Amino acid sequence: MISPVRPKKALGQNFLTDPGIISRIVGLAGVEERDLVVEVGPGKGILTRSLLFRAGRVVAIELDRELLPVLEVEFGGDPRFTLVAGDALQIDLARLLDDLPGSSGLTRKVVANIPYYITGPLLVKLLTGEAGFETIVLMVQKEVADRLVATPGSPEYGSLSVIVNYFTQPQLGFRVRRGAFQPPPKVDSAVVRLDRRKDHWPLPWPRVEPVVRAAFGQRRKTLVNAVSAGMNLPKDAVAVALQHLGLPATIRGEELSVAQFVQLASGLADAARGEERHG
């Protein structure tokens, strides 16, 4: 007999217990038989059960070794279920899914109630990696959800907003009451859906990311000062690049759209090449 597993605070475990919320998450994700769903942090498997009911395959990644036998007993007999022990932040997801028998042709999605402390790093990994996820549906802290869907000029808008909007079209699904978890978290929660963009920006993310990081690294500074300091560029070069976009030198990073960040990164690259030719 397997002993009951208590949630571990160190692993950010708040087990979702409300079946109604589970149904809404799976519905928001639009899980179908043609989908291969990755679940990060399945816990005791309440969401896993609903995913297996509708998906073609489910890959559950669990770090807590105490939960592994619980999940194995519950779902191990289903050939469509794969349990992976380890840290989702360290696992090569592309290789894992590419090597999975029967996964060819399935649409890849992530649907999970994740530990909130890994939200930022996990999102960056899922968005910039090569696993090819078409849809990502996550339970996150409400304040983080607001950042993911934030628009330029709003207080919540930041570097995470830019990267999410660069790769996906985000939408806020619904809020979740604290009593839907055991133990109840000390923060409000929300479910978000991120759909991979079908169109492509003219610059790859590694070319845009340094500009975004510099712009939000010193939020109180103007974009000219923040990018100049963060990227070791002359202030006048940044100002000229902004001028070419029709933007004032006094503008701040939180006022730029994703498209403008892409244009700015392109302009700064052209300016840097010009400096090299004349240097």
Side-chain angles (χ1 to χ4, degrees):
M1 180 177 178
I2 299 175
S3 302
V5 179
R6 296 180 179 275
K8 297 178 178 61
K9 186 176 181 180
L11 295 180
Q13 291 176 338
N14 298 94
F15 297 141
L16 192 56
T17 58
D18 188 329
I21 298 298
I22 295 295
S23 179
R24 292 183 69 184
I25 292 173
V26 177
L28 181 65
V31 177
E32 299 176 348
E33 190 175 352
R34 61 184 178 86
D35 294 333
L36 187 166
V37 179
V38 173
E39 183 185 8
V40 177
K44 296 180 180 180
I46 182 173
L47 176 58
T48 315
R49 186 175 298 108
S50 290
L51 292 174
L52 273 170
F53 184 75
R54 295 176 63 172
R57 290 190 70 92
V58 174
V59 177
I61 302 174
E62 181 55 62
L63 179 61
D64 187 352
R65 294 195 171 275
E66 274 194 80
L67 287 168
L68 298 178
V70 176
L71 295 165
E72 193 62 49
V73 167
E74 186 71 25
F75 308 111
D78 192 327
R80 299 172 301 119
F81 176 74
T82 301
L83 180 60
V84 179
D87 185 347
L89 295 178
Q90 304 299 324
I91 292 172
D92 186 335
L93 296 175
R95 176 177 293 183
L96 170 66
L97 300 185
D98 288 344
D99 292 345
L100 194 65
S103 64
S104 178
L106 297 180
T107 301
R108 296 179 179 182
K109 296 182 177 180
V110 176
V111 184
N113 169 35
I114 61 174
Y116 291 172
Y117 73 94
I118 69 168
T119 301
L122 181 63
L123 271 174
V124 172
K125 180 183 179 71
L126 296 177
L127 295 175
T128 62
E130 299 179 354
F133 295 111
E134 292 294 321
T135 300
I136 299 171
V137 174
L138 298 178
M139 177 90 71
V140 298
Q141 187 174 332
K142 176 61 170 59
E143 287 76 7
V144 174
D146 291 338
R147 289 167 58 196
L148 300 184
V149 301
T151 54
S154 63
E156 296 82 13
Y157 189 70
S159 58
L160 193 58
S161 315
V162 176
I163 185 173
V164 164
N165 280 273
Y166 178 94
F167 285 101
T168 73
Q169 294 177 308
Q171 69 177 86
L172 182 63
F174 53 91
R175 298 184 66 166
V176 181
R177 62 186 180 85
R178 300 184 185 189
F181 302 87
Q182 182 58 43
K186 296 180 180 179
V187 296
D188 293 325
S189 304
V191 179
V192 293
R193 172 171 171 152
L194 314 176
D195 290 303
R196 179 75 60 170
R197 286 184 177 274
K198 302 302 181 184
D199 53 343
H200 296 284
W201 299 101
L203 276 188
W205 177 248
R207 297 269 299 279
V208 181
E209 189 270 341
V211 182
V212 175
R213 185 176 65 249
F216 291 102
Q218 302 180 64
R219 289 186 69 115
R220 295 184 180 181
K221 290 189 175 183
T222 64
L223 195 57
V224 168
N225 290 331
V227 171
S228 173
M231 298 185 67
N232 194 28
L233 293 172
K235 290 183 181 180
D236 59 347
V238 182
V240 168
L242 287 172
Q243 185 180 18
H244 286 165
L245 298 180
L247 299 173
T250 55
I251 199 168
R252 298 180 187 276
E254 58 264 31
E255 299 175 71
L256 263 65
S257 67
V258 177
Q260 288 171 322
F261 269 114
V262 172
Q263 292 171 330
L264 178 59
S266 179
L268 291 174
D270 291 342
R273 283 192 291 269
E275 289 286 332
E276 290 175 1
R277 285 196 299 268
H278 294 92

